[in-house]
Amino acid sequence: MLLSLDWDAYSGCAEYVFDAPIWGTPDREHDRLEAWRERARKRGGHDWSVLDADFPLYPGWEALVGYAGVPTFVTLSHAAAEAWLPLYPGREVLNIDSHHDLYSQTGDPGRWRPGNWAGLGLAAGLVGRYRVRYPDWHTGLAVAEGYDLARTRSELEAALPPELLAQVTLERGPQLPAPAEVEAVLLVQSPAWTSPAHDGAFFGLAEALRSVPLGPAPLHRPPA
């Protein structure tokens, strides 16, 4: 099994935070830094810590250090899966994420991007089976994909061919696979969706896992 870890499964948002990127955001340079500065200014502060109430770091990420010793790659964006999946073609992929990443409604559908890498991997035969495991905190956030799995499944049915959808499983929970079951890990920062207040924890985790850079490097964001 391959394990994909999107930091946005842990660096998330609280309920009724209407400027949260989980509502939908592009992956542009502005969204990775300046949009977060705007959110901090809106909350009356010049330090990333003012974001913490609305954009908490949810528990559970600390257990990821258990994958130390498993080959781990770290990257800025899930677009790097275009280089990761061919290293282990045809494997089952478990993606712990706040988004299914199976298709995007905007942009070039054939270009590997954070929102469509999993769908392209399935279509190319690089992924044998695909599971999305949404975090538990989605149960308190009605806008989140992982809040209502039946609703999300129906959206996928309207967008994906049946033969591809048959290889997809949606689930939710805090469970992590045993390290012995994992052949390789991809750790993804996703800075357009994750609070800069949590960058220290992210980079500490990447170091603990002895992560090897793959594709664009994660973003070291300066103070607000």
Side-chain angles (χ1 to χ4, degrees):
M1 170 196 303
L2 300 181
L3 179 60
S4 161
L5 297 171
D6 196 316
W7 190 233
D8 76 3
Y10 301 97
S11 180
C13 65
E15 193 174 15
Y16 305 127
V17 179
F18 296 110
D19 61 346
I22 197 171
W23 286 80
T25 189
D27 182 37
R28 304 169 302 191
E29 287 190 25
H30 174 87
D31 302 289
R32 296 168 180 174
L33 178 58
E34 291 305 321
W36 287 104
R37 283 181 169 147
E38 291 166 9
R39 293 181 184 108
R41 286 193 290 267
K42 183 188 295 186
R43 288 158 178 80
H46 299 283
D47 185 275
W48 295 130
S49 63
V50 301
L51 297 170
D52 285 345
D54 287 344
F55 301 96
L57 182 59
Y58 285 94
W61 67 272
E62 303 92 339
L64 300 176
V65 299
Y67 295 108
V70 177
T72 299
F73 301 88
V74 66
T75 190
L76 175 79
S77 153
H78 248 135
E82 183 178 13
W84 183 56
L85 293 175
L87 300 175
Y88 310 93
R91 310 298 203 272
E92 176 185 9
V93 174
L94 172 61
N95 183 32
I96 297 178
D97 202 326
S98 280
H99 306 94
H100 56 64
D101 294 349
L102 284 161
Y103 67 91
S104 296
Q105 294 179 313
T106 60
D108 179 359
R111 182 169 63 86
W112 289 69
R113 292 177 291 144
N116 69 354
W117 68 270
L120 291 179
L122 280 167
L126 293 170
V127 176
R129 184 152 191 88
Y130 181 65
R131 288 191 288 149
V132 186
R133 184 167 295 164
Y134 296 107
D136 263 354
W137 58 266
H138 278 214
T139 60
L141 199 69
V143 70
E145 282 182 20
Y147 177 81
D148 184 340
L149 298 185
R151 178 188 68 191
T152 302
R153 186 83 186 184
S154 68
E155 293 170 354
L156 294 178
E157 288 172 353
L160 300 177
E163 63 274 13
L164 192 151
L165 188 58
Q167 301 175 70
V168 174
T169 302
L170 305 181
E171 48 196 55
R172 184 179 56 238
Q175 305 89 348
L176 294 170
E181 299 175 357
V182 177
E183 188 174 0
V185 173
L186 183 66
L187 178 63
V188 183
Q189 183 188 26
S190 297
W193 294 273
T194 58
S195 170
H198 309 147
D199 284 354
F202 176 83
F203 284 105
L205 175 63
E207 182 177 0
L209 297 180
R210 298 184 179 179
S211 304
V212 175
L214 182 69
L219 186 61
H220 287 270
R221 289 177 283 191

